[in-house]
Amino acid sequence: MSDNLTGNKLIAKNATMLYIRMFITMAINFYTSRIVLQALGVSDYGIYQVVGGTIVLIDVLVAALGGATSRFLTFALGKNDPVNLKKTFSTAVWIHLGLAIAFVFVAETVGLWFINNHLVIPEGRMVAANWVFQAAVVNFAMGITQTPYNASITSHEHMTVFAYIAIIRAIGKLGIAVIVLIYSGDHLILYSILLMALAILIRIYYRYYCVKHFEECHITKQFDKPLFKEMVAFSSWNMLGSIMLTFKNQGVNILINRFFGTLLNAAAGVALQVQGLLYAFTGNITTAFKPQIIKSYAATNYNRVNELIGLGTKFTALVTTLTTIPFIFNMDFLMGVWLKEVPQGAVVICQILLFANFFNSFNTFVNTAIIASGKIKYLNISLSVFYVAVIIGTWVVLKLTHSYIWAYILGLVSCPLSTIVFLILLKRIMPTFSARAFLKKTYMPLFLTAVVSLLMAWGISKAISSPLVSFLTIAVVCSSFVFFVAYNFIFDQNVRDQVKAFVKSKIGKKKK
């Protein structure tokens, strides 16, 4: 019990640091996006989204590699095996170096051919588009080799460094946006080069931090063949799912480009930024919980795994509800305040993506438990088939309706269906997990809470004409309702006791 309490305190501490980071970076990023859109213009911003997107979405692939590496490093930490930890890190470095070389080869052949022959780029902007592409290639090739270092930070749960660097990155992006705005030359080319330089400097610091703080991060010539085969097999299956996710996301982006051009790509880019910034609220919880789930699985403490899956999902779904509902009903007003020129279609696309955030919040920790087991073959095969079906469905919908709204709604409908896949697979891997209990005690209470909150917000938006007053009223009323329901009906007595103890400790400190 004491170990669980210590683990919960570490989760709370890491989540708090990540939230402090998020609030600061969110404020900076919203303002930065406004300046970038002003500096580049809607058309060039659309070019950056679709061209950079062919590589930027490789970030998903890098994240998958990081997740795979982090799983092995965290598993070794959970087993308390420092020798295997060193072997794991060194082996991971050599694997990712080989992957980076392969990535550059594919990007500079197939990727370059696709950019120059199949994307719809406005006349006279192909040179700038190629600069964007090359900067992105350099950035993400280095990002692949960086993966083992970031995975080490996550495995050791040193989330503070992520918080500090994220703030520095946000300030750096703001500085870049201002420089680009006052620059007299090609804004798009300068923007892509400066972003690449910032990313490289940050990655160099991460490597320095890891070498200084973690013994296993000193690269050696150690190359464990059995471990290499196990890691490659795991990473290959994990990469399959990530590649197909990249294919699905960028496939939708390219289909939108083919049907509607770069202006709607700009709208989708703005919507994705808002979705990503709001999803960061739950991403902090995810980052804090994941290492504990993997370590508990490595220690065969399956009751603890079940507890963390339920607790983490409740937090993520509730936070998603709190942060998205006020935005959904006031998106026109908020985007108008944020941007000087709101791209047509950005509002409705963003609203659909925010609904998707809620449904995706149920998948995160179930997926983490599957990854912890190492048995991810059928998971990634299932998801790959699912993603291909979404791409085909999107093409069919666009052909039949010529409506981007219905295309994004199709993606929304696919989110709860994917939850069923995750639950079935985890039950097969970990028999102690009860999908029925998860649906009854976690999914349904959270879903009903969100539905009631939506109805309350809809009523308020109809009753109050002022957008600002409507936004603030919805935020206050829905937050109060969600907190009341969560405390009294969703969380168990153990969590309520911890909340009471935390509040009392803070009140006691203030009195002193």
Side-chain angles (χ1 to χ4, degrees), residues 61-102:
L61 175 59
V62 174
L65 292 169
T69 304
S70 182
R71 182 265 172 190
F72 280 90
L73 292 172
T74 308
F75 207 88
L77 283 168
K79 291 284 189 182
N80 195 22
D81 187 351
V83 175
N84 190 46
L85 191 61
K86 287 184 179 180
K87 288 182 181 179
T88 301
F89 180 82
S90 294
T91 303
V93 167
W94 297 115
I95 290 173
H96 286 85
L97 181 61
L99 289 171
I101 294 170

Side-chain angles (χ1 to χ4, degrees), residues 455-465 469-470 473-474 477-478:
L455 292 174
M456 292 169 63
W458 177 79
I460 293 169
S461 68
K462 293 296 181 183
I464 299 176
S465 57
V469 176
S470 173
T473 305
I474 289 172
V477 172
C478 290

Side-chain angles (χ1 to χ4, degrees), residues 379-394:
L379 169 66
N380 287 287
I381 290 174
S382 301
L383 290 178
S384 298
V385 173
F386 197 75
Y387 295 147
V388 171
V390 170
I391 282 288
I392 295 172
T394 301

Side-chain angles (χ1 to χ4, degrees), residues 112-119 126 258:
L112 201 58
W113 167 80
F114 184 81
I115 293 293
N116 286 278
N117 291 280
H118 288 281
L119 287 185
M126 187 56 77
R258 300 288 292 181

Side-chain angles (χ1 to χ4, degrees), residues 447-459:
F447 179 76
L448 292 173
T449 301
V451 169
V452 174
S453 299
L454 279 169
L455 292 174
M456 292 169 63
W458 177 79

Side-chain angles (χ1 to χ4, degrees), residues 65 147 240 368 382 420:
L65 292 169
T147 301
L240 172 65
T368 300
S382 301
I420 298 172

Side-chain angles (χ1 to χ4, degrees), residues 72 84 87-89 91 95 224-232:
F72 280 90
N84 190 46
K87 288 182 181 179
T88 301
F89 180 82
T91 303
I95 290 173
D224 189 301
K225 272 193 174 182
L227 180 61
F228 169 78
K229 290 179 180 178
E230 186 182 358
M231 291 183 70
V232 167

